């Protein structure tokens, strides 16, 4: 098939980078008929769905929901009730990548060329995108190619009128409510912002530990331990100290408007989280 018959797709995580890329492609490449998709685990923050709704309004186009045919609870049983972790990221594989690959499979099998646009920024040399295993699937990195960095992403979202997803008021990454890449301060805030989601995560953790899982959601301590009043106070104090140190070290660029808030990458080092969830 010719390039004129190619399929163009762009995955959205509910986070700022992928949303900014959708806006950027809409503004700079309106000639492309891009299919926007969101792989829904069913365990996303409510703010994610709200933001996707606003993004649909801007794009003037529905965002396709790719729902895995088997949910988190099914795969948890398949993995002997062991929680996903940085060492065994089965949630990424089964709930994010698998539905994406199944969706593309018929197109690729009929010989259609597929261009997948991924939101890796120009200042993210440490990140690697999804590795294509099919000759007809081409991964495109517009932000990296065009030198769009983190402040550039903020500028795109602000100028479009969308702004940031509301969860950035208390959390720095999107993804599942109980994502194991969260920092401890984010678990404390999850309990404050969405106590029902926190209790669900705690129940999963308790069941996993009882079944012999070597992992808890947060490294080195259970969610019960992490949110004991004294421990939670300590985590909040440590977070505030990190913020103050980071602000003192930060070099402002007088030629650009940069956000006052600091994200997880600036406070805890470069993120190694799941690209499918956090972008």
């Amino acid at each position: 098939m010719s390039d004129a018959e190619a399929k163009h797709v762009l995955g959205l995580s509910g986070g700022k980078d992928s949303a900014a890329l959708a806006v950027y492609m809409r503004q700079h490449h309106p000639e492309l008929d891009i299919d926007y998709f969101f792989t829904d685990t069913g365990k996303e923050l409510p703010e994610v769905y709200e933001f996707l709704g606003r993004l649909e309004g801007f794009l003037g186009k529905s965002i396709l929901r790719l729902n895995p045919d088997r949910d988190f609870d099914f795969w948890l049983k398949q993995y002997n009730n062991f929680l996903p972790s940085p060492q065994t990221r089965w949630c990424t594989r089964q709930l994010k990548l698998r539905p994406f690959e199944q969706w593309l499979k018929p197109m690729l099998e009929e010989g259609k060329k597929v261009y997948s646009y991924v939101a890796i920024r120009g200042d993210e040399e440490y990140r690697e995108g999804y590795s294509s295993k099919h000759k007809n699937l081409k991964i495109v990195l517009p932000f990296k190619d065009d030198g769009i960095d983190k402040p550039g992403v903020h500028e795109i979202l602000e100028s479009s009128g969308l702004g940031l997803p509301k969860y950035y008021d208390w959390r720095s990454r999107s993804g599942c409510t109980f994502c194991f890449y969260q920092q401890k301060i984010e678990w404390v805030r999850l309990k404050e912002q969405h106590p029902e989601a926190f209790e669900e995560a705690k129940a999963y953790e308790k069941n996993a530990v009882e079944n012999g899982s070597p992992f808890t959601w947060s490294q080195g301590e259970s969610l019960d331990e992490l949110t004991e009043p004294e421990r939670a106070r300590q985590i909040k104090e440590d977070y505030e100290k990190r913020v103050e140190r980071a602000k003192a070290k930060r070099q402002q660029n007088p030629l650009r408007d940069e956000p006052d808030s600091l994200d997880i990458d600036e406070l805890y080092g470069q993120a190694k989280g799941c690209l499918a969830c956090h972008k």
Side-chain angles (χ1 to χ4, degrees), residues 232-245:
R233 184 186 64 78
Q234 180 188 8
I235 289 169
K236 288 181 177 180
E237 287 181 359
D238 176 66
Y239 173 77
E240 292 302 326
K241 289 176 183 176
R242 282 179 180 266
V243 169
E244 291 307 312
R245 288 197 298 268

Side-chain angles (χ1 to χ4, degrees), residues 162-201:
L162 282 169
L164 294 173
K166 290 181 180 177
Y167 64 78
Y168 279 94
D169 291 343
W170 61 274
R171 191 183 190 190
S172 289
R173 297 196 192 115
S174 58
C176 297
T177 54
F178 45 68
C179 179
F180 49 80
Y181 278 117
Q182 290 180 88
Q183 295 294 335
K184 295 181 187 295
I185 184 63
E186 295 178 294
W187 283 110
V188 171
R189 289 171 169 177
L190 178 65
K191 183 177 181 180
E192 294 171 348
Q193 297 290 327
H194 298 291
E196 292 179 3
F198 180 86
E199 289 303 317
E200 181 183 45

Side-chain angles (χ1 to χ4, degrees), residues 19-272:
L21 181 58
V23 171
Y24 186 79
M25 295 302 292
R26 177 75 177 81
Q27 292 175 333
H28 290 81
H29 298 280
E31 77 281 1
L32 296 179
D33 182 19
I34 298 176
D35 284 343
Y36 304 95
F37 69 91
F38 172 66
T39 310
D40 193 346
T41 66
K43 303 293 183 180
E44 315 288 338
L45 294 167
E47 294 96 323
V48 168
Y49 300 115
E50 186 273 338
F51 185 66
L52 290 174
R54 289 197 286 122
L55 182 57
E56 283 181 322
F58 177 87
L59 297 172
K61 189 173 186 177
S62 295
I63 296 168
L64 178 66
R65 265 62 166 181
L66 300 185
N67 290 303
D69 53 353
R70 291 168 175 171
D71 63 10
F72 179 84
D73 293 326
F74 171 86
W75 289 111
L76 184 63
K77 289 178 182 176
Q78 297 302 303
Y79 286 88
N80 298 314
N81 289 298
F82 279 25
L83 298 176
S85 71
Q87 293 76 29
T88 56
R89 296 189 301 170
W90 59 257
C91 53
T92 302
R93 185 165 56 256
Q94 303 296 358
L95 296 172
K96 289 288 184 178
L97 299 181
R98 185 169 174 269
F100 172 65
E101 290 169 349
Q102 288 183 330
W103 176 52
L104 290 185
K105 188 177 179 181
M107 307 177 207
L108 296 173
E109 285 182 344
E110 68 180 34
K112 183 170 285 190
K113 197 165 188 177
V114 178
Y115 291 91
S116 178
Y117 300 87
V118 179
I120 296 180
R121 302 190 311 264
D123 56 352
E124 292 185 303
E125 293 301 326
Y126 61 97
R127 274 200 186 274
E128 296 179 3
Y130 176 80
S131 179
S132 171
K133 299 179 180 67
H134 198 287
K135 64 179 182 179
N136 286 337
L137 176 58
K138 180 174 173 54
I139 308 301
V140 188
L141 309 175
F143 281 169
K144 188 172 280 287
D145 293 341
D146 296 345
I148 305 295
D149 58 7
K150 187 188 295 182
V153 162
H154 284 264
E155 288 170 9
I156 289 168
L157 290 176
E158 290 302 322
S159 64
S160 71
L162 282 169
L164 294 173
K166 290 181 180 177
Y167 64 78
Y168 279 94
D169 291 343
W170 61 274
R171 191 183 190 190
S172 289
R173 297 196 192 115
S174 58
C176 297
T177 54
F178 45 68
C179 179
F180 49 80
Y181 278 117
Q182 290 180 88
Q183 295 294 335
K184 295 181 187 295
I185 184 63
E186 295 178 294
W187 283 110
V188 171
R189 289 171 169 177
L190 178 65
K191 183 177 181 180
E192 294 171 348
Q193 297 290 327
H194 298 291
E196 292 179 3
F198 180 86
E199 289 303 317
E200 181 183 45
K202 198 164 74 169
Y204 280 126
E205 181 182 74
K206 182 174 184 293
N207 182 55
V209 171
E210 288 173 353
N211 279 276
S213 173
F215 307 116
T216 50
W217 286 122
S218 184
Q219 186 177 7
E221 59 189 327
S222 70
L223 294 187
D224 261 338
E225 293 168 332
L226 188 151
T227 52
E228 285 288 330
E230 183 60 27
R231 176 65 177 131
R233 184 186 64 78
Q234 180 188 8
I235 289 169
K236 288 181 177 180
E237 287 181 359
D238 176 66
Y239 173 77
E240 292 302 326
K241 289 176 183 176
R242 282 179 180 266
V243 169
E244 291 307 312
R245 288 197 298 268
K247 283 183 176 179
K249 292 179 182 177
R250 194 183 207 184
Q251 294 184 345
Q252 291 286 342
N253 184 342
L255 301 178
R256 317 180 65 157
D257 274 335
E258 297 193 37
D260 292 330
S261 60
L262 295 162
D263 66 20
I264 288 295
D265 287 356
E266 292 177 90
L267 295 176
Y268 294 96
Q270 300 291 11
K272 296 180 181 178

